[in-house]
């Protein structure tokens, strides 16, 4: 049947409009709030390395030039810091970009992409955008469960996304569990280890995945400059992958996907070990403090190894996450609602400055008494 002309318009592929667009953390408080503490996106409370700031200023003087399309200086800096071959690294416009490219390249309609119950939500969007089917493995105690992941694998599975540590739970699985997962996965399934928070983890049984990538043909590791390096606004991520995966990504990525400011800031950030160490020490101190204080208020928190903490609120109907969020927002503390992650009654809080951390705890104490 012919349609009236005004109703004919370009339509996206089937399934695209079923995707729930990613909702970033809020950044604004109501008018009249004197100071806003953004604790909703796991940003570095110490900011970026001063050297990265200087590097970006220098780029501002020559913005007419295209960046180096292969981001060689940045790949070399990453490779040197981590002891990797730069040929096995691709840099990207935030690690989100490369997660999406992996889904586009390795999933077809009818295939399945797997992630865990409270896993990072961009995996869902990218799997759906590729026209594939999402399969969600249950977690145990808010942690990825290798047996549940393996039980969810089918002949159609092509990708498993595992954030380790995971966002928004902050939990991790020891690397021998990752190895056990890999050993039991079919060899044609790509295991994506998203190690966005690796630098924060202080546990002897944790590894980000470098050795497993090097020793396998079906494992990749993604990393980001957005979290520990405090460069979320510049969008810099990278992947360490076997050569055959690099060859795929080099065919589909944008030719200048990492901009000139990002390249220079990334190189400077990589060289500033002291800034990374200061950030880790700050996080270690305040994550421990927050965990103790919030637990002391009678709130359950999920044990976190990242730079954020998942806070669970009472089910009494009047002191829930929504009420707490409103209460804190009115006082300038912006946390993250996580209902979309399967936590309707929890908030995720980024470890902030001392002032922000103390302020949130004091406000929550008042809130719970109110
Ligand atoms: C923040 C985050 C990322 C990626 O961030 P980019 O800014 O795109 O590099 C990836 N995975 C997880 C689990 C994250 O929390």
């Amino acid at each position: 049947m012919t349609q009236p002309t005004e109703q004919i318009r370009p339509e996206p592929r089937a399934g695209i409009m079923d995707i729930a667009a990613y909702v970033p953390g809020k950044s604004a408080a109501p008018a009249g709030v004197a100071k806003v503490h953004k604790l909703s996106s796991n940003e570095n409370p110490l900011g970026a390395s001063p050297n990265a700031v200087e590097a970006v200023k220098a780029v501002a003087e020559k913005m007419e030039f295209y960046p180096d399309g292969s981001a060689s200086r940045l790949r070399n800096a990453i490779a040197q810091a981590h002891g990797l071959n730069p040929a096995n690294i691709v840099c990207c416009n935030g690690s989100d970009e490369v997660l999406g490219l992996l889904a586009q390249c390795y999933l077809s309609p009818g295939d399945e992409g797997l992630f865990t119950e409270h896993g990072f939500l961009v995996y869902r969007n990218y799997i759906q955008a590729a026209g594939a089917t999402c399969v969600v493995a249950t977690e145990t105690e808010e942690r990825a469960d290798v047996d549940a992941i393996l039980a969810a694998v089918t002949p159609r599975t092509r990708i498993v996304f595992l954030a380790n540590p995971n966002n928004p739970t902050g939990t991790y699985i020891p690397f021998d569990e990752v190895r056990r997962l890999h050993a039991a996965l079919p060899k044609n399934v790509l295991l994506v280890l998203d190690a966005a928070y690796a630098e924060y983890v202080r546990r002897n049984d944790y590894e980000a995945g470098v050795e497993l990538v090097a020793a396998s043909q079906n494992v990749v590791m993604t990393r980001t400059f957005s979290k520990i390096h405090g460069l979320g606004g510049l969008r810099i991520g990278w992947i360490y992958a076997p050569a055959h995966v690099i060859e795929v990504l080099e065919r589909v990525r944008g030719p200048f996907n990492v901009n000139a400011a990002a390249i220079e800031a990334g190189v400077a950030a990589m060289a500033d070990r002291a800034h990374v160490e200061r950030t880790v020490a700050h996080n270690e101190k305040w994550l421990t403090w927050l965990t103790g204080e919030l637990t002391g208020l009678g709130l359950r928190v999920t044990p976190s190894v990242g730079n954020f903490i998942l806070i669970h609120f009472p089910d009494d109907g009047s002191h829930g996450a929504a009420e707490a969020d409103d209460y804190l927002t009115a006082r300038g503390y912006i946390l993250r609602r996580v209902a979309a992650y399967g936590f309707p009654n929890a908030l995720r809080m980024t470890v902030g400055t001392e002032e922000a951390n103390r302020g949130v705890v004091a406000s929550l104490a008042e809130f719970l008494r109110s």
Side-chain angles (χ1 to χ4, degrees):
M1 212 201 290
T2 51
Q3 287 184 317
T5 338
E6 65 271 21
Q7 285 180 14
I8 298 174
R9 59 179 195 180
E11 296 292 347
R13 233 180 25 234
I16 297 288
M17 297 312 289
D18 299 332
I19 299 172
Y22 186 82
V23 182
K26 285 184 297 183
S27 53
V33 174
K35 185 162 181 186
V36 176
H37 299 275
K38 183 168 186 260
L39 305 168
S40 58
S41 299
N42 301 343
E43 291 145 345
N44 186 333
L46 308 185
S49 159
N51 301 346
V53 175
E54 286 309 310
V56 170
K57 286 181 183 162
V59 173
E61 302 296 329
K62 38 186 180 177
M63 286 194 290
E64 67 276 30
F65 297 112
Y66 271 90
D68 165 18
S70 60
S72 305
R73 276 164 45 70
L74 182 55
R75 284 193 299 120
N76 288 336
I78 294 167
Q80 202 176 12
H82 291 268
L84 308 174
N85 181 348
N88 291 98
I89 295 171
V90 173
C91 292
C92 40
N93 190 38
S95 53
D96 281 345
E97 181 189 26
V98 80
L99 296 170
L101 292 176
L102 291 170
Q104 291 294 336
C105 294
Y106 289 95
L107 291 171
S108 301
D111 290 343
E112 293 172 356
L114 214 160
F115 54 93
T116 65
E117 190 179 350
H118 304 294
F120 190 43
L121 272 180
V122 306
Y123 309 147
R124 174 185 292 279
N125 292 24
Y126 289 143
I127 292 166
Q128 287 181 293
T133 303
C134 294
V135 175
V136 182
T138 53
E139 296 188 1
T140 302
E141 293 178 351
E142 295 160 5
R143 228 166 61 127
D145 178 330
V146 165
D147 294 311
I149 295 172
L150 290 171
V153 170
T154 78
R156 297 181 170 204
T157 309
R158 287 291 169 276
I159 288 195
V160 174
F161 286 107
L162 179 70
N164 199 32
N166 183 48
N167 167 15
T169 51
T171 57
Y172 78 106
I173 60 172
F175 211 72
D176 55 8
E177 281 293 282
V178 178
R179 284 187 204 282
R180 187 165 75 82
L181 169 63
H182 172 250
L185 272 186
K187 297 228 180 319
N188 66 341
V189 174
L190 186 67
L191 175 59
V192 181
L193 301 175
D194 177 348
Y197 301 95
E199 296 88 347
Y200 284 108
V201 186
R202 287 290 171 271
R203 292 291 187 282
N204 289 333
D205 58 359
Y206 175 78
E207 280 178 48
V210 166
E211 285 176 25
L212 190 60
V213 173
S216 321
Q217 288 299 309
N218 65 329
V219 185
V220 301
M221 172 189 74
T222 61
R223 303 287 287 261
T224 182
F225 281 74
S226 302
K227 306 289 159 57
I228 194 95
H229 293 293
L231 292 170
L234 284 186
R235 316 302 306 123
I236 319 169
W238 55 280
I239 184 171
Y240 176 54
H244 69 95
V245 176
I246 299 291
E247 284 169 21
V248 168
L249 294 171
E250 287 295 352
R251 284 167 165 75
V252 295
R253 72 173 174 87
F256 303 101
N257 59 334
V258 184
N259 68 70
I263 291 172
E264 297 310 320
V267 169
M270 261 295 147
D272 193 349
R273 291 302 310 164
H275 186 72
V276 170
E277 281 161 25
R278 267 196 303 277
T279 302
V280 170
H282 175 91
N283 192 65
E284 187 76 352
K285 173 178 174 184
W286 290 101
L287 179 65
T288 306
W289 186 85
L290 283 168
T291 304
E293 293 290 318
L294 295 167
T295 307
L297 292 178
L299 297 170
R300 182 172 78 81
V301 300
T302 306
S304 172
V305 295
N307 67 335
F308 55 91
I309 190 164
L310 189 63
I311 311 169
H312 303 267
F313 287 86
D315 289 313
D316 67 1
S318 59
H319 293 90
E323 290 82 9
D325 189 30
D326 291 344
Y327 194 93
L328 291 169
T329 301
R331 285 153 184 80
Y333 303 107
I334 314 293
L335 276 63
R336 180 61 173 269
R337 298 292 307 271
V338 282
Y341 287 90
F343 294 112
N345 204 21
L347 296 176
R348 190 193 68 198
M349 174 189 176
T350 304
V351 175
T353 59
E354 171 169 2
E355 181 189 3
N357 299 332
R358 291 190 185 281
V360 168
V361 168
S363 293
L364 283 178
E366 276 171 33
F367 164 72
L368 292 168
R369 283 195 301 267
S370 68

